[in-house]
Amino acid sequence: MIKKVAILANGGDVSGFNAVIRAIVKTAENNNIECYGFIDGYRGLLSNNYVQLTTEAESKASGILPKGGSIIGSSTNANVFNFPVEENGERVFKDMSDICIENIKNDGFDCVFTLGGDGTQKSARDLSLKGINVIGIPKTIDNDVACTEITFGYNTAVSVAADAIDRLHSTAETHHRILVLEVMGRYAGWIALESAIAGGADVALIPEIPYDINKAAQKIINRKNRGKNFSIVVVAEGATPIGGQMCIRGKRNNGSGVDNNRLGGIGEQVAKQLEELTGLDSRCTVLGYTQRGGSPSAFDRVLSTKYGAKAMELAMQEKFGVLTIIKNGKLDYVSLEEVVGNNKKVGAASGNTPESNLRKVTMDHDLVKTARSIGINLGD
Ligand code: F6P
């Protein structure tokens, strides 16, 4: 019988973190289980910094369903198996996981819920191999966690992007311009593709389909020839021209993480080329962090609540070392071993390595077929 559990939220934030936390806390309370939250993800686990979470009015976890961010913080680039520490004035990377394991055992946590993406779940898998009971919940706006059809936070990001496209439409039409919207998603084109369909864009460029800018320009010229002097182009930050490179704006995580690339800049590049090729005035908008902030959509509130309640249910059944997923539209779970795929090596690089099992857009996906059917140009 489990009595005491802890939650940690890790990686880039999304709308829906708090809805998951709330669902875990409520389900725990209904079953007389104490619930705690580590502050700032794996960093809190390492420093043993946690707070109790209840639904009492004075608790941090009260009234949080519609709230953006994470009430217990989150940290990016906190791989406890390869953690940056100062030693003799030098920065070195060390395996600190034994401290985390001691903290969990000493304080008697029967299960740790890891809310996060690829890297977070890789570390969760590694902790489970060292004997810790973990249950993962798939989070990221990028929707690229393996084995699940959808991650929490993604739907809100798509809604924000679709709303932006609506707003760009009216100004594009008024000024006879091409308006390019650069959206997030890292190495996956889910946000770009789905928001392009939701917003009625004319072109969508995604990392999974290296693009020929001439094909996108031709689509816009065809529209112009039919009297439509404006076009909307959605570009995923990871989109790449055929034979070209991904646009890297700089380094993130002080250059110390596994995947340090800070993507960005492809939207400006595409806007400039399209202006030259079509003769239409062209502008770029980078949507950025608005995709991650603010209140979750109704869909994400429900998905997050389902994930949180399911995770707590699995903990009560003592089914550990798993990730809650949606499969064929239904709640389910899968082993973390399956989620990490070929990224098997314990402790080493975690998240977005060549061995990572990221879920990308496939050419037979309904979204690709639908986009093509209605004439959205995918740059090919
Ligand atoms: O993974 C979520 C995400 O928002 C990506 O879409 C984006 O490339 C990245 O995080 C940005 O990371 P950071 O918060 O380090 O700038």
Side-chain angles (χ1 to χ4, degrees):
M1 285 273 284
I2 61 162
K3 294 197 177 69
K4 190 173 171 185
V5 297
I7 304 170
L8 66 80
N10 205 64
D13 70 339
V14 299
S15 304
F17 255 149
N18 291 328
V20 176
I21 293 167
R22 170 180 175 269
I24 295 174
V25 172
K26 278 185 170 265
T27 312
E29 268 185 6
N30 288 341
N31 290 282
N32 301 315
I33 294 165
E34 279 178 36
C35 193
Y36 295 79
F38 283 106
I39 302 297
D40 294 340
Y42 281 117
R43 280 180 211 281
L45 181 55
L46 189 57
S47 57
N48 212 22
N49 182 14
Y50 58 81
V51 290
Q52 186 162 13
L53 301 171
T54 72
T55 54
E56 295 306 313
E58 68 279 3
S59 169
K60 260 176 170 297
S62 172
I64 59 171
L65 179 62
K67 226 176 171 177
S70 158
I71 55 155
I72 49 174
S74 181
S75 65
T76 53
N77 188 32
N79 176 5
V80 293
F81 289 84
N82 193 35
F83 200 79
V85 286
E86 290 287 326
E87 241 178 37
N88 306 325
E90 261 188 51
R91 193 163 202 241
V92 290
F93 287 82
K94 291 195 122 180
D95 181 354
M96 310 292 273
S97 61
D98 285 343
I99 301 177
C100 298
I101 285 158
E102 244 177 74
N103 290 343
I104 295 167
K105 289 193 172 158
N106 286 346
D107 288 337
F109 291 113
D110 300 308
C111 177
V112 178
F113 298 102
T114 53
L115 282 48
D118 179 49
T120 303
Q121 305 310 344
K122 171 65 171 54
S123 294
R125 192 294 300 247
D126 294 351
L127 286 176
S128 84
L129 287 181
K130 292 184 107 176
I132 298 300
N133 295 332
V134 293
I135 295 176
I137 303 178
K139 166 240 67 165
T140 168
I141 62 164
D142 305 338
N143 203 28
D144 61 357
V145 176
C147 304
T148 186
E149 283 156 22
I150 191 157
T151 54
F152 70 91
Y154 168 67
N155 178 268
T156 306
V158 170
S159 307
V160 171
D163 178 61
I165 296 170
D166 283 351
R167 289 169 193 280
L168 293 177
H169 249 115
S170 58
T171 166
E173 193 165 4
T174 304
H175 294 287
H176 318 305
R177 280 175 171 164
I178 299 169
L179 283 181
V180 175
L181 181 69
E182 181 183 303
V183 298
M184 285 183 167
R186 283 200 97 58
Y187 311 115
W190 297 107
I191 300 177
L193 188 55
E194 191 150 354
S195 67
I197 295 173
D202 307 294
V203 176
L205 305 178
I206 61 173
E208 293 85 347
I209 306 179
Y211 66 85
D212 174 351
I213 197 69
N214 295 298
K215 298 275 170 61
Q218 193 54 54
K219 164 80 188 180
I220 293 169
I221 291 166
N222 292 347
R223 279 173 53 79
K224 196 172 148 190
N225 292 342
R226 288 169 46 228
K228 299 200 176 190
N229 283 333
F230 69 96
S231 282
I232 301 290
V233 178
V234 182
V235 183
E237 61 181 357
T240 315
I242 295 171
Q245 299 289 318
M246 208 168 272
C247 252
I248 296 171
R249 188 193 293 275
K251 292 281 165 211
R252 58 182 197 155
N253 305 325
N254 302 319
S256 66
V258 173
D259 179 16
N260 296 321
N261 291 335
R262 200 170 151 226
L263 305 184
I266 192 68
E268 281 294 351
Q269 200 172 297
V270 164
K272 187 167 174 283
Q273 287 180 307
L274 289 178
E275 182 166 293
E276 283 161 12
L277 291 167
T278 65
L280 284 172
D281 209 12
S282 186
R283 298 282 191 278
C284 170
T285 300
V286 179
L287 199 52
Y289 295 89
T290 57
Q291 291 159 97
R292 290 174 18 179
S295 195
S297 62
F299 181 95
D300 261 331
R301 292 180 199 194
V302 175
L303 178 67
S304 302
T305 304
K306 280 160 72 176
Y307 271 149
K310 176 74 179 177
M312 194 63 229
E313 189 189 296
L314 289 169
M316 290 186 290
Q317 294 164 1
E318 304 193 7
K319 289 207 167 71
F320 303 118
V322 296
L323 180 82
T324 58
I325 57 165
I326 298 288
K327 190 177 171 190
N328 300 325
K330 295 192 72 148
L331 266 179
D332 208 336
Y333 64 93
V334 70
S335 84
L336 282 170
E337 214 46 72
E338 208 170 312
V339 177
V340 303
N342 292 327
N343 197 2
K344 296 283 187 217
K345 220 163 142 196
V346 178
S350 102
N352 284 347
T353 64
E355 298 80 23
S356 287
N357 204 12
L358 295 182
R359 179 176 162 270
K360 297 196 185 178
V361 175
T362 52
M363 293 312 106
D364 61 349
H365 195 278
D366 282 350
L367 289 176
V368 173
K369 291 188 193 163
T370 304
R372 292 201 193 283
S373 298
I374 61 165
I376 296 179
N377 180 273
L378 301 177
D380 62 347

mmCIF file of all heavy atoms in Angstrom, residues 66-82:
data_model
loop_
_atom_site.group_PDB
_atom_site.id
_atom_site.type_symbol
_atom_site.label_atom_id
_atom_site.label_comp_id
_atom_site.label_asym_id
_atom_site.label_seq_id
_atom_site.Cartn_x
_atom_site.Cartn_y
_atom_site.Cartn_z
ATOM 1 N N PRO A 66 -6.854 26.429 -13.872
ATOM 2 C CA PRO A 66 -6.671 27.263 -15.066
ATOM 3 C C PRO A 66 -5.336 28.024 -15.117
ATOM 4 O O PRO A 66 -5.083 28.780 -16.044
ATOM 5 C CB PRO A 66 -7.825 28.268 -14.951
ATOM 6 C CG PRO A 66 -8.100 28.376 -13.490
ATOM 7 C CD PRO A 66 -7.630 27.118 -12.832
ATOM 8 N N LYS A 67 -4.502 27.811 -14.099
ATOM 9 C CA LYS A 67 -3.282 28.617 -13.967
ATOM 10 C C LYS A 67 -2.149 28.144 -14.885
ATOM 11 O O LYS A 67 -1.850 26.949 -14.925
ATOM 12 C CB LYS A 67 -2.811 28.483 -12.519
ATOM 13 C CG LYS A 67 -2.423 29.753 -11.849
ATOM 14 C CD LYS A 67 -2.090 29.446 -10.416
ATOM 15 C CE LYS A 67 -1.492 30.659 -9.758
ATOM 16 N NZ LYS A 67 -1.220 30.429 -8.359
ATOM 17 N N GLY A 68 -1.487 29.078 -15.584
ATOM 18 C CA GLY A 68 -0.334 28.722 -16.412
ATOM 19 C C GLY A 68 0.883 28.421 -15.553
ATOM 20 O O GLY A 68 0.863 28.582 -14.338
ATOM 21 N N GLY A 69 1.971 27.990 -16.170
ATOM 22 C CA GLY A 69 3.219 27.701 -15.451
ATOM 23 C C GLY A 69 3.105 26.476 -14.577
ATOM 24 O O GLY A 69 2.239 25.619 -14.788
ATOM 25 N N SER A 70 3.991 26.401 -13.572
ATOM 26 C CA SER A 70 3.961 25.270 -12.641
ATOM 27 C C SER A 70 4.124 25.804 -11.232
ATOM 28 O O SER A 70 5.089 26.520 -10.948
ATOM 29 C CB SER A 70 5.113 24.308 -12.950
ATOM 30 O OG SER A 70 5.405 23.518 -11.817
ATOM 31 N N ILE A 71 3.193 25.454 -10.343
ATOM 32 C CA ILE A 71 3.258 25.956 -8.963
ATOM 33 C C ILE A 71 4.478 25.419 -8.217
ATOM 34 O O ILE A 71 4.865 25.948 -7.190
ATOM 35 C CB ILE A 71 1.978 25.628 -8.146
ATOM 36 C CG1 ILE A 71 1.713 24.118 -8.175
ATOM 37 C CG2 ILE A 71 0.793 26.448 -8.610
ATOM 38 C CD1 ILE A 71 0.918 23.621 -6.999
ATOM 39 N N ILE A 72 5.076 24.347 -8.739
ATOM 40 C CA ILE A 72 6.282 23.819 -8.080
ATOM 41 C C ILE A 72 7.518 24.042 -8.960
ATOM 42 O O ILE A 72 8.550 23.388 -8.788
ATOM 43 C CB ILE A 72 6.122 22.319 -7.697
ATOM 44 C CG1 ILE A 72 5.601 21.510 -8.891
ATOM 45 C CG2 ILE A 72 5.215 22.164 -6.490
ATOM 46 C CD1 ILE A 72 5.558 19.989 -8.649
ATOM 47 N N GLY A 73 7.404 24.974 -9.899
ATOM 48 C CA GLY A 73 8.540 25.290 -10.761
ATOM 49 C C GLY A 73 8.857 24.149 -11.722
ATOM 50 O O GLY A 73 8.135 23.147 -11.793
ATOM 51 N N SER A 74 9.924 24.324 -12.444
ATOM 52 C CA SER A 74 10.372 23.306 -13.398
ATOM 53 C C SER A 74 11.808 23.657 -13.737
ATOM 54 O O SER A 74 12.200 24.824 -13.629
ATOM 55 C CB SER A 74 9.519 23.354 -14.658
ATOM 56 O OG SER A 74 9.932 22.350 -15.571
ATOM 57 N N SER A 75 12.606 22.694 -14.115
ATOM 58 C CA SER A 75 13.938 23.130 -14.560
ATOM 59 C C SER A 75 14.327 22.438 -15.845
ATOM 60 O O SER A 75 14.012 21.277 -16.069
ATOM 61 C CB SER A 75 14.991 22.916 -13.479
ATOM 62 O OG SER A 75 15.146 21.567 -13.219
ATOM 63 N N THR A 76 14.973 23.217 -16.697
ATOM 64 C CA THR A 76 15.478 22.647 -17.943
ATOM 65 C C THR A 76 16.935 22.251 -17.700
ATOM 66 O O THR A 76 17.590 22.785 -16.803
ATOM 67 C CB THR A 76 15.413 23.669 -19.096
ATOM 68 O OG1 THR A 76 16.060 24.856 -18.680
ATOM 69 C CG2 THR A 76 13.985 23.983 -19.472
ATOM 70 N N ASN A 77 17.414 21.332 -18.455
ATOM 71 C CA ASN A 77 18.811 20.916 -18.370
ATOM 72 C C ASN A 77 19.215 20.461 -16.972
ATOM 73 O O ASN A 77 20.275 20.843 -16.475
ATOM 74 C CB ASN A 77 19.712 22.078 -18.827
ATOM 75 C CG ASN A 77 21.153 21.638 -18.936
ATOM 76 O OD1 ASN A 77 21.414 20.485 -19.252
ATOM 77 N ND2 ASN A 77 22.067 22.533 -18.649
ATOM 78 N N ALA A 78 18.366 19.682 -16.319
ATOM 79 C CA ALA A 78 18.735 19.177 -14.993
ATOM 80 C C ALA A 78 18.792 17.658 -15.046
ATOM 81 O O ALA A 78 17.909 16.973 -14.569
ATOM 82 C CB ALA A 78 17.720 19.645 -13.961
ATOM 83 N N ASN A 79 19.847 17.153 -15.680
ATOM 84 C CA ASN A 79 20.031 15.710 -15.760
ATOM 85 C C ASN A 79 20.882 15.289 -14.561
ATOM 86 O O ASN A 79 22.090 15.517 -14.531
ATOM 87 C CB ASN A 79 20.727 15.369 -17.082
ATOM 88 C CG ASN A 79 21.040 13.890 -17.196
ATOM 89 O OD1 ASN A 79 20.668 13.098 -16.334
ATOM 90 N ND2 ASN A 79 21.723 13.525 -18.261
ATOM 91 N N VAL A 80 20.254 14.677 -13.567
ATOM 92 C CA VAL A 80 20.976 14.354 -12.323
ATOM 93 C C VAL A 80 22.037 13.271 -12.533
ATOM 94 O O VAL A 80 22.869 13.033 -11.663
ATOM 95 C CB VAL A 80 20.011 13.944 -11.187
ATOM 96 C CG1 VAL A 80 19.160 15.121 -10.761
ATOM 97 C CG2 VAL A 80 19.140 12.752 -11.578
ATOM 98 N N PHE A 81 22.010 12.620 -13.684
ATOM 99 C CA PHE A 81 23.028 11.605 -13.987
ATOM 100 C C PHE A 81 24.262 12.237 -14.627
ATOM 101 O O PHE A 81 25.267 11.578 -14.844
ATOM 102 C CB PHE A 81 22.448 10.542 -14.926
ATOM 103 C CG PHE A 81 21.446 9.655 -14.240
ATOM 104 C CD1 PHE A 81 20.119 10.052 -14.126
ATOM 105 C CD2 PHE A 81 21.828 8.444 -13.687
ATOM 106 C CE1 PHE A 81 19.194 9.246 -13.489
ATOM 107 C CE2 PHE A 81 20.903 7.639 -13.042
ATOM 108 C CZ PHE A 81 19.587 8.035 -12.933
ATOM 109 N N ASN A 82 24.124 13.504 -14.986
ATOM 110 C CA ASN A 82 25.237 14.203 -15.649
ATOM 111 C C ASN A 82 25.087 15.684 -15.309
ATOM 112 O O ASN A 82 24.762 16.495 -16.155
ATOM 113 C CB ASN A 82 25.130 13.954 -17.163
ATOM 114 C CG ASN A 82 26.372 14.363 -17.904
ATOM 115 O OD1 ASN A 82 27.475 14.231 -17.382
ATOM 116 N ND2 ASN A 82 26.197 14.859 -19.114
#
